[in-house]
Amino acid sequence: PTWNGNEFLLADGSRAIIRTLTPLRFDPDARQLDVEIVLHGHGPLSAWARSADPGSPVALSGPGRGYSIDTGAPAFLLAGDESAIPAMGQLLEALPREVPVQVCIEVAHSDAVLTLPAHPHAEVEWLELPADGTPGDAMAAAVQRTDVAPDTRVWVAGEAAAVQRIRRYCFEERGLPRAHATIRGYWKRGRAGDD
């Protein structure tokens, strides 16, 4: 595809399928970019990842909007599902080393538990979603039971309906200032992707 300044277009004029990923590592000298892709279902990214070989074409753009770290914050709360693990790993590497960080990660199965970058003051809680659970339930419950200071910075990403519940809880029930939170829906339950 070619980039027209606003979107990627294929030769026939149709829009290319786009997925947003968090880079794990970039080596500008080797011109290598490492990303992780969760293989799930039959969506376009999973299908591409299953069939990709070294040299398979892919178009890249970025960087995206990112996250500005408030280095003066007294504490951080990170919450997400499997789709947010790469971003949370980057945050753990970048957050101030002297500040406490609570991390809540919901996974569909214990096989998804990964080793995260070390942070001297991080408490990481892996939450396995019950077989009959709705994505985001365990993550939302974990956020609601946290005891965070009023000036804590909150970063949440995952299933859209779940993060919407967390957004309402943080802003409406807890009274967290909107400037202290970044809460993003990464995917929607029931939406398989673009065919």
Side-chain angles (χ1 to χ4, degrees), residues 107-118:
V107 294
H109 190 274
S110 61
D111 290 350
V113 174
L114 304 172
T115 301
L116 294 172

Side-chain angles (χ1 to χ4, degrees), residues 64-148:
R65 54 188 162 164
Y67 174 68
S68 296
I69 295 171
D70 182 349
T71 56
F76 289 86
L77 169 63
L78 310 179
D81 60 21
E82 293 172 46
S83 68
I85 293 173
M88 288 189 284
Q90 278 193 351
L91 288 170
L92 284 171
E93 289 178 331
L95 291 175
R97 309 313 282 166
E98 69 282 356
V99 176
V101 182
Q102 288 181 271
V103 183
C104 306
I105 306 172
E106 179 180 293
V107 294
H109 190 274
S110 61
D111 290 350
V113 174
L114 304 172
T115 301
L116 294 172
H119 185 286
H121 296 288
E123 292 181 23
V124 179
E125 181 181 10
W126 292 91
L127 312 156
E128 190 169 343
L129 183 66
D132 61 346
T134 300
D137 283 353
M139 176 177 59
V143 169
Q144 290 178 7
R145 73 173 173 265
T146 59
D147 183 25
V148 294

Side-chain angles (χ1 to χ4, degrees), residues 20-23 63-69 77-88 90-91 104 135-136 139-140 143 154-168 170-171 176 178-189:
T20 302
L21 301 172
T22 299
R65 54 188 162 164
Y67 174 68
S68 296
I69 295 171
L77 169 63
L78 310 179
D81 60 21
E82 293 172 46
S83 68
I85 293 173
M88 288 189 284
Q90 278 193 351
L91 288 170
C104 306
M139 176 177 59
V143 169
V154 175
W155 184 95
V156 179
E159 197 281 325
V163 299
Q164 185 63 30
R165 290 193 317 262
I166 293 170
R167 181 181 286 116
R168 276 194 304 273
C170 287
F171 299 145
L176 184 74
R178 290 184 184 271
H180 291 185
T182 297
I183 303 174
R184 296 180 178 150
Y186 274 9
W187 62 282
K188 290 184 179 182
R189 181 176 182 221

